[in-house]
Amino acid sequence: MKQLPTNQAGTSLIEALMTIAIFTMVSISLYMMIWLALHLLRDDQARLDAIAIAQTKIEELRNAPYESVGTSGGIPSGAFSQLETVVRNNRDYHVETEIIYIDDVYDGVAPIDTVNTDYKQAEVSVTWQGQYVSEPVVLSTIFAPEGIETTAGGGTLWVEAVDSDEQPVAGATILVTNTTTVPTVNITSTTDINGRYILPGAPAATQSYHVELSKSGYSSSQTYPEDLDSNPNPDPHDLSVIALDTTTLVMVIDSLGELNIHLERRDDGTALIDIPVQITGSQRIGTDLSGADIPKYSELLTSDSSGDIVISSLESDIYTIVIDEDTTTFDLAGYSQSLPLNIAPGASETVTLLLADAESDTALLSITDISGTPIVGATVDATNADFSTNLTETTDANGQVYFSPLSQESFTVEVTAAGYEIYSTSIEVSGDMNLTLPLTAS
């Protein structure tokens, strides 16, 4: 019987390609394993170097007299640097040394314990740029004076970081500086789990301790120096420290929010570009020589090509939003949210401003219930004294009507809406009027 021929050459080619593919995958896997192992070994060596650097720094501190254990610009003051760079095996290591006084609970704490510089604590942190392992190496130790504790002089600076709900903010960065003391003070640290930063042994000084508080994703807070030109009456003022006394400061920071302002024409909804808008917060940082508040936030911003003004990283506050009528030909003719606008911590708010061509005398009327909720579809009639002018409008989606142009005279305004009592009032029109009229449920 005659046998069919077999395709031995084709089978051999497929087997060869599969063998090559498998060999290639195995080779790549082995290469990656070897590459990873080498980098891990290199990172292990970097960590060992970092540990050695930290241990060396700790030994340097231990070999110094107790009175000399301190940092340049720190409290306690000394010759050791707060920040330095060490090169080891062609790698840069950043060494941060923090030395502070400790007020031990054993004999009471400030403000009851006036001698609260019981002993010193040093913490050395070493960081570097690693391929995989980049956790810092941190070593700490304490230094106790010989014999009975003695006062280091000065007082205690006690700062508490809280949010708007009065909850502690841990891990916030705090900067304390004073250029009037000898030596000067320049300390960067963080708040503890209770949101506190306590600095015993601070040299006595009057209104010269400058404090700044910040945290990623949060607003910032600070004290302010007196400046006759920009801030003659700062609030809060840079702090004073009195010997054997405690100065306390509570600083409020909170999650940042965002504000999007959209500007468009009231009549046709066309986006308006290059419109200047003044945004001012209610928080203040002091008063000027006339006693007027100096706001913490006040910016004049301009709408973009889409008619938008986007403000990211905005702290919680109550903001007034005003069209700069001196440099534009528009009047405010409506808005989608009540103004001033309250930005809550971490909130993202959008408000639409409706604008109309500027006129000398106008009336923007917002119709609400007694709780402030806008009433849509209410009928608003405005009639002057001699009945020569009678205007009727229906409230829009924002519960508003806009009458323009008007003349400077008295108008009787009557509002009717289903489910509410008829509302009637008299208004004297002069300039751009912006009024809210609350209705009572029937």
Side-chain angles (χ1 to χ4, degrees), residues 13-93:
L13 178 59
I14 293 173
E15 291 174 346
L17 291 174
M18 291 181 64
T19 301
I20 293 172
I22 293 171
F23 176 78
T24 301
M25 288 188 293
V26 171
S27 298
I28 292 174
S29 298
L30 288 173
Y31 171 79
M32 292 300 296
M33 291 176 64
I34 293 171
W35 183 84
L36 180 61
L38 290 174
H39 280 74
L40 287 174
L41 287 173
R42 187 175 68 177
D43 286 346
D44 286 342
Q45 182 59 52
R47 176 162 288 274
L48 291 174
D49 289 342
I51 293 173
I53 292 170
Q55 289 175 336
T56 299
K57 177 58 67 175
I58 290 291
E59 288 304 315
E60 291 178 7
L61 295 171
R62 286 174 175 165
N63 289 329
Y66 179 80
E67 294 76 11
S68 300
V69 177
T71 56
S72 176
I75 299 174
S77 178
F80 293 96
S81 298
Q82 295 188 48
L83 297 172
E84 57 185 310
T85 299
V86 176
V87 179
R88 184 74 61 88
N89 292 326
N90 296 320
R91 188 189 295 269
D92 290 342
Y93 294 86

Side-chain angles (χ1 to χ4, degrees), residues 58 133 155-156 173 185 222 256 270 292 346 356 376-377 384 408 424 432 436:
I58 290 291
V133 182
T156 299
T173 299
V185 175
Q222 68 174 77
L256 293 168
T270 302
V376 180
N384 65 352
Q408 292 191 9
S424 181
D432 295 322
T436 298

Side-chain angles (χ1 to χ4, degrees), residues 208-290:
S208 54
Y209 276 94
H210 181 72
V211 182
E212 297 180 12
L213 185 71
S214 61
K215 186 176 182 178
S216 178
Y218 281 68
S219 58
S220 61
S221 182
Q222 68 174 77
T223 61
Y224 296 88
E226 182 178 323
D227 187 302
L228 291 178
D229 294 325
S230 62
N231 195 351
N233 304 296
D235 182 21
H237 202 295
D238 283 350
L239 303 176
S240 297
V241 170
I242 301 173
L244 304 181
D245 201 356
T246 299
T247 299
T248 302
L249 175 67
V250 177
M251 307 183 81
V252 180
I253 60 174
D254 223 322
S255 300
L256 293 168
E258 181 176 288
L259 174 59
N260 186 343
I261 303 172
H262 179 70
L263 294 97
E264 62 183 47
R265 290 189 63 95
R266 182 179 180 90
D267 52 9
D268 59 11
T270 302
L272 295 172
I273 66 174
D274 296 330
I275 303 297
V277 179
Q278 182 72 44
I279 302 103
T280 306
S282 64
Q283 296 186 52
R284 67 171 200 167
I285 61 172
T287 58
D288 61 21
L289 293 174
S290 68

Side-chain angles (χ1 to χ4, degrees), residues 261-267 272 321-323 325 330-339 351-357 362-367 395-404 432-435:
I261 303 172
H262 179 70
L263 294 97
E264 62 183 47
R265 290 189 63 95
R266 182 179 180 90
D267 52 9
L272 295 172
I321 302 174
V322 179
I323 301 298
E325 297 181 357
F330 291 97
D331 286 336
L332 180 64
Y335 39 83
S336 62
Q337 290 202 53
S338 296
L339 300 178
V351 59
T352 298
L353 302 183
L354 305 177
L355 306 187
D357 293 330
T362 65
L364 172 60
L365 305 179
S366 298
I367 312 303
T395 55
D396 59 17
N398 304 315
Q400 297 168 341
V401 295
Y402 181 67
F403 295 117
S404 176
D432 295 322
M433 311 289 291
N434 188 347
L435 302 174

